[in-house]
Amino acid sequence: MMLSLLLLLLVSSLALVHSQNKYTVGDGDYSYVIDYDKTEDDFEFSSPSCGKEIDQMDVQMISKPNQIRISFTGDPTEMSLTWTTNDVSHIEEVRYGVLEGDLNNTATSISHQYNWNEQEDGSYVYTSGFIHEALMVNLVPGAIHFYQIFSNGQQSDVLRFLAAPEAGSDAPVSFFHIGDHGTFGTSLMVTADMMKRAKDQDFHGLIHCGDISYANKFNGSRGEPPMASQQVWDTWGQMVEPLGSKMAYMVTPGNHELDSYDSTNENATIYRKRFIMPGNERYYSFGVGMVHFIAVSTDESIDSESTQGVWFEQTLKEINEDRETWPWVVVFQHRPIYNSNKIHGNWDGREFNTSSRYVNPEIIGWPDNYERLLVEGKVDIVLNGHVHHYEVTYPVLNSTVIGKRSNNSVSGGPVHITCGQAGKSLYRIKHGENSYSEPPPPEHGPRQRALGTL
């Protein structure tokens, strides 16, 4: 069987990112502009620094639909959709169809709003815009669709996306893969590069392996109380809209979304309010054509008795009962169990859980039970973030190269790919020394310190 999984290798350097785009959203006297043409000279940094953050957006000043993102549900005839406005009206809906001039299907939305960081006087540091969620149904698998949002007395442009092909289809599948993004100068440049590449073809989706907005970082420099700056979530959502409105934006939480010990104490509460993912939204699976994707949460246990571990094993079992339909299985997660950068090392569930500074219990099942399930479940590729560089392994088990997979035989193991350099500072130096282990471990292939995507 010819297997034509298309995972485009899109590793880009700073000098290559030029988008020739500006994006403006706003009402009346307020206008928020994102200039995707900016380069390293505009952000006051020198590699490996990520530069200063871009200006923050005030969502309460924008009535037009903004932060538009779509996501897969696991059903190729469906697509979830979210957007934000500063108020609501009696008409909150999306109109869509396969013809740009005939948007003959309608889906109404539900809306919610949240407050953050209550003060002594009962006020809040931040109140979100109205976050809308809608579900487009009866799509034609594999076809281009068009949609337009009508919300808060305003309307969006007519946008387009490529629906997932039917399960088992041999149509090529194309995705971006990034991790550790944020709203820094380099984040904008990597986003601009993806926008440029997406002009040349329709991508099915984007896999974001955690550490999404960095709303909880650099709190002091933002001149606010020591809590997450929720405006950063709005800014990030607007920055990625040119991508997320046109391809399914699939995420899994990283430590900056999940860590309960962090000063933000978000503990995934904001992640759940802002994203629409299948299942419980932290770990889930979905199929796109010949590929079955599985998201796992690396900050939760995955041993044989844990909820995630039982779910993961059962999910792999069900997929392997029909590998003719799903010849490719791709797992994506935040922390890698294989990387040769000394700043983090291989994830074993203990990195942030043994210091007296933190109160989290040990996260178990990493990597022993997890890696056993990867090999027994015939997983082909594991996508990661967390480590701010690019690296790929050979097919591996227990740090030993175990051959190449052929015709879905179990003789090989998965290839692990880390692509955690979508914006946050690159890892180069630790204690004055090269942060890479030298020489490279034998199971590791190419490594690169450069901003970009996969």
Side-chain angles (χ1 to χ4, degrees), residues 25 30-34 38 43 51-62 67 126 182-185 187-188 213-219 221-224 228-239 274:
V25 62
Y30 180 80
S31 180
Y32 180 71
V33 180
I34 298 179
K38 287 189 174 182
F43 293 110
K52 64 181 181 181
E53 294 177 293
I54 65 176
D55 293 337
Q56 301 300 307
M57 183 177 80
D58 186 350
V59 72
Q60 296 297 343
M61 298 295 292
I62 303 174
Q67 303 178 60
Y126 171 89
T183 62
F184 311 104
S187 314
L188 181 69
S213 74
Y214 284 93
N216 63 345
K217 296 300 286 185
F218 305 125
N219 294 323
S221 67
R222 294 174 180 159
E224 58 183 336
S229 173
Q230 295 301 301
Q231 276 191 312
V232 176
W233 276 114
D234 295 318
T235 304
W236 175 85
Q238 194 58 39
M239 185 183 73
R274 292 193 177 255

Side-chain angles (χ1 to χ4, degrees), residues 254-272:
N255 54 292
H256 288 289
E257 287 77 50
L258 284 176
D259 287 345
S260 61
Y261 58 74
D262 195 275
S263 62
T264 67
N265 204 30
E266 280 194 4
N267 199 20
T269 57
I270 306 306
Y271 172 88
R272 290 193 295 268

Side-chain angles (χ1 to χ4, degrees), residues 83 85 87-88 92 109-113 130-133 151:
W83 71 91
T85 57
D87 206 345
V88 293
E92 298 289 343
S109 71
I110 59 173
S111 308
H112 67 272
Q113 191 176 35
F130 287 87
I131 301 172
H132 309 266
E133 300 178 0
S151 179

Side-chain angles (χ1 to χ4, degrees), residues 141-200:
I144 296 290
H145 291 72
F146 300 88
Y147 70 99
Q148 187 173 25
I149 297 167
F150 293 81
S151 179
N152 194 28
Q154 302 276 345
Q155 61 192 59
S156 70
D157 295 335
V158 176
L159 301 164
R160 60 178 274 163
F161 65 87
L162 179 60
E166 290 183 329
S169 167
D170 62 0
V173 173
S174 55
F175 277 76
F176 287 107
H177 162 213
I178 65 171
D180 303 71
H181 197 201
T183 62
F184 311 104
T186 46
S187 314
L188 181 69
M189 295 165 65
V190 170
T191 303
D193 189 52
M194 290 189 285
M195 289 166 56
K196 180 181 178 181
R197 296 170 190 270
K199 286 182 178 179
D200 298 329

Side-chain angles (χ1 to χ4, degrees), residues 97-117:
V98 294
L99 299 176
E100 186 173 5
D102 186 16
L103 305 180
N104 57 0
N105 298 287
T106 300
T108 57
S109 71
I110 59 173
S111 308
H112 67 272
Q113 191 176 35
Y114 71 90
N115 296 312
W116 182 257
N117 191 7

Side-chain angles (χ1 to χ4, degrees), residues 321-363:
E321 289 174 351
D322 191 9
R323 284 305 284 263
E324 288 190 4
T325 298
W326 312 110
W328 289 88
V329 179
V330 177
V331 172
F332 63 101
Q333 62 195 51
H334 182 55
R335 303 179 193 258
I337 64 169
Y338 287 102
N339 92 91
S340 63
N341 195 291
K342 292 179 285 188
I343 289 180
H344 282 306
N346 297 341
W347 175 237
D348 64 2
R350 298 172 179 83
E351 180 179 5
F352 288 115
N353 300 95
T354 57
S355 169
S356 59
R357 175 184 172 191
Y358 305 123
V359 297
N360 286 9
E362 181 178 322
I363 301 170

Side-chain angles (χ1 to χ4, degrees), residues 247-408:
M247 64 186 74
Y249 205 110
M250 309 304 293
V251 297
T252 189
N255 54 292
H256 288 289
E257 287 77 50
L258 284 176
D259 287 345
S260 61
Y261 58 74
D262 195 275
S263 62
T264 67
N265 204 30
E266 280 194 4
N267 199 20
T269 57
I270 306 306
Y271 172 88
R272 290 193 295 268
K273 292 178 186 298
R274 292 193 177 255
F275 293 98
I276 313 172
M277 295 294 117
N280 71 7
E281 300 185 308
R282 303 188 315 281
Y283 48 89
Y284 56 87
S285 72
F286 62 97
V288 180
M290 72 182 84
V291 189
H292 207 103
F293 291 90
I294 308 174
V296 295
S297 174
T298 50
D299 279 57
E300 300 178 59
S301 293
I302 200 164
D303 61 295
S304 60
E305 296 183 358
S306 66
T307 302
Q308 181 175 219
V310 172
W311 169 86
F312 186 53
E313 183 170 16
Q314 182 61 31
T315 299
L316 286 171
K317 179 181 178 181
E318 292 172 0
I319 293 171
N320 277 286
E321 289 174 351
D322 191 9
R323 284 305 284 263
E324 288 190 4
T325 298
W326 312 110
W328 289 88
V329 179
V330 177
V331 172
F332 63 101
Q333 62 195 51
H334 182 55
R335 303 179 193 258
I337 64 169
Y338 287 102
N339 92 91
S340 63
N341 195 291
K342 292 179 285 188
I343 289 180
H344 282 306
N346 297 341
W347 175 237
D348 64 2
R350 298 172 179 83
E351 180 179 5
F352 288 115
N353 300 95
T354 57
S355 169
S356 59
R357 175 184 172 191
Y358 305 123
V359 297
N360 286 9
E362 181 178 322
I363 301 170
I364 58 178
W366 304 94
D368 45 1
N369 188 62
Y370 173 65
E371 190 170 28
R372 174 185 67 82
L373 293 174
L374 291 179
V375 175
E376 291 180 0
K378 304 178 185 178
V379 171
D380 298 287
I381 300 172
V382 179
L383 303 177
N384 310 275
H386 192 52
V387 181
H388 302 170
H389 70 180
Y390 168 79
E391 185 166 12
V392 61
T393 72
Y394 299 106
V396 61
L397 172 64
N398 293 329
S399 299
T400 302
V401 177
I402 58 173
K404 297 181 179 180
R405 189 176 302 286
S406 177
N407 294 324
N408 291 315

